Amino acid sequence: MHEAPSSEELLGAVIGFLTEVAAPHLSGQAAFHARVAANALALVEREMAHRQPADARARALYAALLSDTSSPLDALTKEVCARIRSGALAYDDPALLAALREVTSAQLTIDQPTYSGLKP
Amino acid sequence: MTALTAPLTRVMQARFGPSAQVTDMTRLSGGASQETWGFGLEMRSAPTRRLILRRAPFQSAAKGEAIGLVKEAHIIGAAARTGTPVPEIIHVCSPEDDLGDAFIMAHVEGQTIARKILRDETFSRARSRLAFQCGEALAKIHAVDLDSLPPDLPISHGLDQVDRYEAIYRGFDMDRPVFELALAWLRQRAPQPLPATLVHGDFRNGNLMVNPEGLAAVLDWELAHHGDPREDLGWICVNSWRFGVREKRVGGFGTLEDLLAGYQAAGGQAGEAKDLMWFQALGSFKWGIMCLIMYQAFATKADPSIERAMIGRRASEAEIDLLNLIEGRPHA
């Protein structure tokens, strides 16, 4: 295994190039898209750091909600959706709301960590 | 010079006389289906004016819920007659003008970029009045006589929008529990529709031209329809258009109290706060699905830009906003 430079280091270098070198040399739509590209890579960086623990936590929350500790996360997510849709899980169920808030907040930590909706 | 200069010059000369000349044509914005151009109108006998050409190059370009530019121009004209601040319509194009589905309007000075309006010192006076002025403008829009509007405008009240956006969401085959929650909540708590009025359909930061004195013009009427007036009041409250200033519920610049004070002062009847919140939640739900629609445009290679892809990751902002609304959190 060779990890020098690491994926994180390479991403950081590309983000730096896009924002500090490429974007200032571009204009109009191209400059805008260079900055969006840097934002996309910063999202990938956050996803690499947070996806696994976020998914593990989501699986534990949904497992408790559904009393199902064996199914994988995607099956649990599908079942949560089905039960909300059928009314088996009520939209004002406090355990459901707490679980969805935690899962959604973790997703936003990856997607848009400074979003104002996350503030208490 | 663009290929548009010659037909546009003919239209301007027919209207303003043979001395009319078109100068400085500049593409301002727009995608493949719609273009906005700014240009100067020079005449021998009058000072140069700045005008705007809005056009869809092909007659078939109106797509999705958009009503088409000729209808849009007629609606702007009707809204002007009730005192809504709108750009003056100079000319509505007909096919022989050779400009496509198009109209020409006066250029209105000001700013539409929310981050500048919410933060720049230039707009501090505007910010203090804008929510009230938005309320007044919405009351005037909702007072437009429906008989004065183009026939066959879309009719859409609220619950049918829940149905429409649910169908889109189901079509994506994605499992998003918060959207399921929102659907259950919206269906359970839907208010009785108010009598139909003209609804702007996209009244928010980005479509409001603001100058240092406040609201100068309401733009982008392509989603106008007959419907429940509270749809507009809820949409301007959606947190996604507050650009980080969450405690100012109306567009990040003002309070709901100011918006409703302006609305009532100009004759509007807003009804109960909980029903406005329902329309705000409908707005957040729609925005979340719109984010997924824009991602789909990327995923299907209809629009391969990184920006389209990244908007897909904004669906989660709508999800936290929906949870804040459903749980009745402060500043939701």
Side-chain angles (χ1 to χ4, degrees):
Chain A
M1 288 283 280
H2 300 283
E3 290 194 359
S6 67
S7 303
E8 289 81 357
E9 286 176 305
L10 288 170
L11 273 175
V14 178
I15 292 169
F17 167 75
L18 286 170
T19 51
E20 285 153 37
V21 182
H25 277 84
L26 296 167
S27 61
Q29 283 292 95
F32 170 69
H33 281 112
R35 279 187 278 274
V36 177
N39 291 341
L41 292 183
L43 188 154
V44 171
E45 243 181 354
R46 294 191 296 273
E47 187 129 58
M48 286 164 63
H50 300 300
R51 174 54 66 196
Q52 277 192 356
D55 281 0
R57 181 65 184 147
R59 189 178 173 196
L61 287 163
Y62 290 164
L65 203 59
L66 301 172
S67 305
D68 172 357
T69 53
S70 58
S71 298
L73 176 58
D74 55 352
L76 293 170
T77 306
K78 198 173 271 298
E79 183 61 20
V80 170
C81 285
R83 289 203 194 176
I84 296 169
R85 199 176 171 187
S86 73
L89 274 171
Y91 66 74
D92 54 358
D93 180 325
L96 172 66
L97 288 166
L100 294 184
R101 175 169 293 276
E102 199 177 330
V103 171
T104 302
S105 300
Q107 181 66 42
L108 272 161
T109 303
I110 295 168
D111 291 347
Q112 217 186 146
T114 60
Y115 186 61
S116 71
L118 278 172
K119 286 185 268 180
Chain B
M1 281 293 273
T2 80
L4 296 173
T5 309
L8 187 57
T9 302
R10 282 196 296 276
V11 169
M12 291 291 97
Q13 289 181 346
R15 175 69 193 266
F16 294 103
S19 78
Q21 292 299 325
V22 169
T23 60
D24 304 325
M25 269 205 90
T26 317
R27 178 85 179 260
L28 298 178
S29 71
S33 66
Q34 204 173 96
E35 303 169 359
T36 304
W37 296 81
F39 63 96
L41 172 66
E42 280 182 14
M43 287 175 288
R44 204 179 307 123
S45 54
T48 300
R49 294 182 73 179
R50 289 301 297 172
L51 299 180
I52 301 286
L53 167 69
R54 295 249 294 154
R55 73 184 286 265
F58 309 104
Q59 294 294 340
S60 62
K63 57 178 186 181
E65 296 157 52
I67 54 176
L69 287 165
V70 169
K71 281 185 195 169
E72 189 177 328
H74 289 303
I75 293 170
I76 294 171
R81 289 192 289 278
T82 62
T84 314
V86 286
E88 181 196 354
I89 300 292
I90 306 291
H91 179 77
V92 182
C93 295
S94 52
E96 55 270 26
D97 290 338
D98 218 12
L99 286 165
D101 186 22
F103 67 88
I104 294 152
M105 65 185 185
H107 169 82
V108 178
E109 279 296 333
Q111 180 59 263
T112 59
I113 298 171
R115 289 185 188 283
K116 293 187 188 295
I117 295 166
L118 298 188
R119 286 171 178 80
D120 285 5
E121 185 52 36
T122 325
F123 297 105
S124 62
R125 177 173 159 79
R127 281 193 292 276
S128 69
R129 324 165 75 197
L130 203 45
F132 189 92
Q133 292 172 331
C134 284
E136 288 179 312
L138 283 172
K140 289 169 181 170
I141 292 168
H142 299 156
V144 168
D145 178 6
L146 294 180
D147 292 333
S148 72
L149 295 172
D152 65 41
L153 277 189
I155 301 169
S156 175
H157 287 273
L159 263 180
D160 58 298
Q161 297 183 20
V162 176
D163 291 341
R164 188 161 75 243
Y165 281 85
E166 177 180 12
I168 296 168
Y169 161 68
R170 301 269 172 238
F172 293 153
D173 198 24
M174 291 178 176
D175 298 310
R176 310 269 316 207
V178 177
F179 290 151
E180 300 289 346
L181 187 84
L183 283 166
W185 186 91
L186 287 166
R187 291 201 189 290
Q188 195 75 42
R189 301 166 63 109
Q192 284 296 314
L194 292 179
T197 66
L198 174 63
V199 174
H200 179 278
D202 201 10
F203 191 97
R204 60 168 172 85
N205 280 322
N207 293 336
L208 305 175
M209 184 62 79
V210 175
N211 66 25
E213 294 300 305
L215 183 62
V218 182
L219 309 175
D220 286 340
W221 293 70
E222 63 186 23
L223 297 178
H225 57 270
H226 294 194
D228 192 309
R230 294 170 296 186
E231 181 188 335
D232 282 332
L233 294 162
W235 187 243
I236 182 71
C237 292
V238 167
N239 188 39
S240 291
W241 341 128
R242 295 183 216 164
F243 294 85
V245 193
R246 184 168 153 208
E247 63 281 7
K248 298 280 176 63
R249 186 165 168 187
V250 179
F253 49 74
T255 65
L256 182 63
E257 290 69 30
D258 280 351
L259 179 80
L260 295 181
Y263 194 68
Q264 275 147 20
Q269 300 282 333
E272 290 184 66
K274 73 171 174 52
D275 294 335
L276 291 183
M277 201 173 116
W278 188 88
F279 279 94
Q280 184 186 330
L282 172 64
S284 276
F285 175 69
K286 285 163 59 180
W287 171 240
I289 304 305
M290 286 177 199
C291 292
L292 298 180
I293 293 170
M294 289 186 260
Y295 162 65
Q296 287 295 321
F298 170 82
T300 59
K301 302 198 164 54
D303 180 345
S305 77
I306 311 169
E307 192 226 355
R308 287 287 108 152
M310 281 292 279
I311 287 178
R313 289 287 186 131
R314 292 187 63 181
S316 52
E317 83 181 34
E319 291 175 327
I320 199 75
D321 288 338
L322 284 164
L323 287 171
N324 288 337
L325 283 161
I326 289 169
E327 292 191 86
R329 298 271 174 129
H331 305 306

